[in-house]
Amino acid sequence: MVLFSVTKKTTAPFDGQKPGTSGLRKKVTVFQQPHYLQNFVQSTFNALPADKVKGATIVVSGDGRYFSKDAVQIITKMAAANGVRRVWVGQNSLMSTPAVSAVIRERVAADGSKATGAFILTASHNPGGPTEDFGIKYNMENGGPAPESVTDKIFSNTKTITKYLIAEDLPDVDISVVGVTSFSGPEGPFDVDVFDSTIDYIKLMKTIFDFESIKKLLASPRFTFCYDALHGVAGIYAKRIFVEELGADESSLLNCVPKEDFGGGHPDPNLTYAKELVDRMGLGKSSNVEPPEFGAAADGDADRNMILGKRFFVTPSDSVAIIAANAVQSIPYFASGLKGVARSMPTSAALDVVAKNLNLKFFEVPTGWKFFGNLMDAGMCSVCGEESFGTGSDHIREKDGIWAVLAWLSILAFKNKDNLGGDKLVTVEDIVRQHWGTYGRHYYTRYDYENVDAGAAKELMANLVSMQSSLSDVNKLIKEIRSDVSDVVAADEFEYKDPVDGSVSKHQGIRYLFRDGSRLVFRLSGTGSVGATIRVYIEQYEKDSSKTGRDSQDALAPLVDVALKLSKMQEYTGRSAPTVIT
């Protein structure tokens, strides 16, 4: 057995190591600076209770982006030096964010041990490569992201750190080979367990969904399917689940080989970046072949999803509402009913209407999955979602892109269970239009202005807050911009008091609420690595079923005009158009 020793390395703080809504994200070159990653990791160990470090089991894996393999070795050596008993690593350092949550919650080692937390190496939907983004976040024993009480402590530690512990003489572990490597150090044995991270996740999915019914759907000659992993970690799960378990043809999979730079693409599952899938589904300008009936995409770490039908896009806000409306009858896991539903504040109110109609508990929370996690831990929420392509349930404590795809396939299988040999299947578009007929339609779009000057972004937001002091002036200005837009009846900065722990989250986005139920929301995103990203959310509710078939951009054009001129977007940012429209 290889023996290792512990070295105390002298270091000094770096500015700006504050974890955002999903951990610390910076350019790879920033993380490659001597001591930079080490400072953050040690600050995290120092922020955790001693029993969650000494003698504990932690997971270290991620989406496989550039610098991940180096980071796994560094964190493993620091874990050993800090008295961790064992580290679990996904083969080739690959483990989706939802799978990490599942592994923390479900995996039990041969000696009965379970993980107390995880370092997840991901920058989610951000690009990867030597000049692109890297990220790291810590998840807790419940499988969910560290709460603000912990991330605040981590950040405080980064500002005062003077040393970190590392086992420099611990050999690198071959993470391409499944197996346990054992070492011994000053505090006793230390193991690194490299394992196939798809096994535990698939086992969990089989307790949630009826795989046999989905298999029958995929076997129908009238049903065609396409899944695009955008060269992210979802690819290893897609092959195992959709092809090996459910019988889909391997040609159904696009870009399912994980790559450190995501094939040079942007692993964000939206209509702008998932170009190949968008074309294949008949929504691109160059589409000239018959599209599949169902298509879906994932982001880099597989926690986000995009759902498409043939020549039809399902908004994430509609997606979570439709899953909630159909869950009890379509998904075995929910057969006894839903405990409640929740959405993030910027997400459209489509879920609110479902909750009201089905008499379900409903919660509106700030952006950030940890807020859903609190509700789930308290048994108050079963299904939740956010407009930024995140959907999930209480089976884990992260959003789950493949879960969302399986949920949609389950709904399609249920709707078609007596019709698989018929002339025409119930389609994704049919399901969405039926939903609008029952619950009304929330026309909805999001404009992203990425990498704008941070100072200008803050000035824009401050101006929007100051305008809220006089709604009569706001309405006068709106009428000058578009006379056909309703009056604003309320405006605020969203503030949330957690019903579980009583914590208060302030400054969570700026809202303008209109008399007819329309909304404008402005928010600074916390998931970028440079500059600022301004997100503008534009929503209009239509109850009249004869008016729910309009083109979304046409229906929203007046409100879009108001949003951009009211905020003085071009004046503050210099941008004449958004980077991304979803």
Side-chain angles (χ1 to χ4, degrees):
M1 184 180 290
V2 175
L3 301 174
F4 65 86
S5 56
V6 174
T7 303
K8 288 183 181 179
K9 301 285 285 188
T10 300
T11 188
F14 289 89
D15 289 335
Q17 287 195 316
K18 182 177 175 62
T21 52
S22 295
L24 180 66
R25 293 182 185 172
K26 302 287 182 184
K27 291 299 180 187
V28 166
T29 50
V30 173
F31 272 100
Q32 287 175 323
Q33 297 175 89
H35 312 305
Y36 190 90
L37 172 63
Q38 291 88 334
N39 277 19
F40 187 81
V41 172
Q42 188 65 57
S43 295
T44 303
F45 281 137
N46 293 348
L48 297 171
D51 64 335
K52 304 303 180 190
V53 180
K54 299 281 186 183
T57 298
I58 65 167
V59 183
V60 183
S61 287
D63 59 21
R65 65 180 54 237
Y66 189 86
F67 191 58
S68 292
K69 290 175 181 175
D70 293 336
V72 165
Q73 303 294 347
I74 291 168
I75 297 168
T76 297
K77 292 174 184 181
M78 292 186 67
N82 277 274
V84 170
R85 173 63 182 84
R86 63 184 64 76
V87 170
W88 290 347
V89 181
Q91 189 175 15
N92 294 311
S93 79
L94 295 173
M95 201 182 304
S96 72
T97 293
V100 171
S101 186
V103 162
I104 294 172
R105 295 172 64 82
E106 305 288 339
R107 189 172 196 251
V108 181
D111 65 356
S113 59
K114 293 189 71 175
T116 60
F119 285 101
I120 308 181
L121 309 176
T122 178
S124 188
H125 53 291
N126 294 8
T131 62
E132 296 294 351
D133 295 345
F134 186 76
I136 180 171
K137 70 171 185 170
Y138 195 81
N139 277 33
M140 306 297 285
E141 200 165 12
N142 71 341
E148 286 182 358
S149 60
V150 175
T151 57
D152 287 348
K153 195 177 289 186
I154 294 170
F155 181 46
S156 177
N157 289 346
T158 67
K159 294 188 285 188
T160 58
I161 190 168
T162 58
K163 68 175 184 296
Y164 61 84
L165 305 180
I166 189 165
E168 290 185 305
D169 55 357
L170 187 79
D172 284 0
V173 174
D174 184 352
I175 57 175
S176 69
V177 179
V178 169
V180 178
T181 307
S182 297
F183 305 95
S184 185
E187 299 193 41
F190 172 72
D191 295 335
V192 180
D193 182 355
V194 179
F195 67 104
D196 179 348
S197 71
T198 66
I199 294 172
D200 297 280
Y201 181 78
I202 293 169
K203 183 180 175 184
L204 178 60
M205 291 301 105
K206 285 183 171 181
T207 68
I208 298 170
F209 301 104
D210 181 349
F211 270 42
E212 285 305 309
S213 70
I214 299 173
K215 200 170 183 177
K216 288 175 185 174
L217 174 72
L218 292 180
S220 168
R222 300 201 178 277
F223 187 80
T224 42
F225 167 83
C226 185
Y227 185 80
D228 189 347
L230 296 176
H231 287 302
V233 73
I236 64 172
Y237 299 89
K239 186 173 181 182
R240 288 276 286 106
I241 293 173
F242 300 129
V243 176
E244 295 177 20
E245 294 284 346
L246 296 172
D249 194 281
E250 196 150 359
S251 63
S252 304
L253 305 184
L254 288 177
N255 305 313
C256 280
V257 176
K259 295 185 177 179
E260 289 186 332
D261 65 349
F262 305 110
H266 193 142
D268 197 351
N270 59 45
L271 295 173
T272 300
Y273 292 127
K275 295 183 180 71
E276 190 174 350
L277 177 67
V278 167
D279 283 346
R280 186 175 287 203
M281 295 304 298
L283 290 163
K285 295 175 183 175
S286 60
S287 304
N288 54 15
V289 295
E290 183 65 10
E293 288 295 329
F294 179 85
D299 67 335
D301 67 332
D303 62 352
R304 297 186 181 207
N305 73 94
M306 176 170 67
I307 303 296
L308 300 172
K310 182 186 290 185
R311 303 185 186 92
F312 192 83
F313 168 63
V314 184
T315 71
S317 299
D318 278 345
S319 181
V320 67
I322 289 166
I323 290 172
N326 291 278
V328 173
Q329 60 186 2
S330 304
I331 301 170
Y333 181 80
F334 300 115
S336 61
L338 301 180
K339 299 165 188 169
V341 295
R343 65 164 173 85
S344 65
M345 183 274 287
T347 303
S348 94
L351 186 62
D352 312 35
V353 182
V354 171
K356 186 176 181 181
N357 275 262
L358 300 183
N359 197 28
L360 295 170
K361 288 180 185 174
F362 168 78
F363 303 92
E364 181 182 31
V365 307
T367 297
W369 212 258
K370 55 195 168 192
F371 298 104
F372 295 130
N374 267 9
L375 297 171
M376 290 172 177
D377 285 345
M380 299 164 73
C381 176
S382 295
V383 172
C384 58
E386 55 189 21
E387 55 69 41
S388 54
F389 297 85
T391 326
S393 89
D394 61 351
H395 67 290
I396 55 171
R397 295 298 180 266
E398 289 278 5
K399 48 185 173 273
D400 190 343
I402 288 179
W403 174 92
V405 175
L406 290 170
W408 267 93
L409 290 173
S410 297
I411 294 167
L412 285 161
F414 177 81
K415 299 281 188 185
N416 288 289
K417 67 180 187 296
D418 301 320
N419 188 41
L420 292 175
D423 291 337
K424 185 181 184 301
L425 296 179
V426 176
T427 66
V428 170
E429 183 173 353
D430 292 337
I431 290 169
V432 175
R433 293 194 183 280
Q434 286 166 12
H435 184 88
W436 292 340
T438 302
Y439 297 101
R441 181 178 181 183
H442 291 259
Y443 288 101
Y444 185 85
T445 191
R446 187 184 93 196
Y447 280 30
D448 286 4
Y449 294 81
E450 297 177 342
N451 296 335
V452 301
D453 178 78
K458 287 178 181 175
E459 287 180 23
L460 180 149
M461 299 294 279
N463 185 53
L464 283 167
V465 171
S466 68
M467 290 170 65
Q468 293 179 344
S469 62
S470 176
L471 294 189
S472 59
D473 288 346
V474 168
N475 285 319
K476 183 180 177 184
L477 184 56
I478 287 172
K479 291 301 181 216
E480 291 172 0
I481 299 168
R482 291 292 299 232
S483 60
D484 53 347
V485 168
S486 178
D487 283 347
V488 172
V489 292
D492 64 6
E493 265 197 286
F494 181 59
E495 184 173 300
Y496 176 70
K497 183 175 181 180
D498 194 300
V500 179
D501 63 19
S503 62
V504 176
S505 299
K506 300 182 178 183
H507 309 298
Q508 295 296 315
I510 296 163
R511 304 189 295 182
Y512 284 82
L513 311 177
F514 294 75
R515 190 179 307 281
D516 64 356
S518 300
R519 293 195 313 162
L520 293 180
V521 175
F522 301 83
R523 184 177 155 270
L524 294 181
S525 170
T527 58
S529 63
V530 293
T533 294
I534 302 171
R535 287 183 169 163
V536 186
Y537 310 84
I538 302 150
E539 172 184 359
Q540 183 172 320
Y541 181 51
E542 180 56 72
K543 287 187 288 188
D544 186 342
S545 60
S546 69
K547 297 180 181 178
T548 57
R550 297 177 65 195
D551 176 80
S552 182
Q553 292 301 325
D554 289 344
L556 291 168
L559 270 176
V560 169
D561 203 15
V562 167
L564 301 187
K565 289 178 180 172
L566 190 69
S567 64
K568 299 182 180 178
M569 185 64 68
Q570 186 163 358
E571 290 95 313
Y572 279 109
T573 68
R575 303 284 181 85
S576 59
T579 317
V580 177
I581 299 176
T582 55

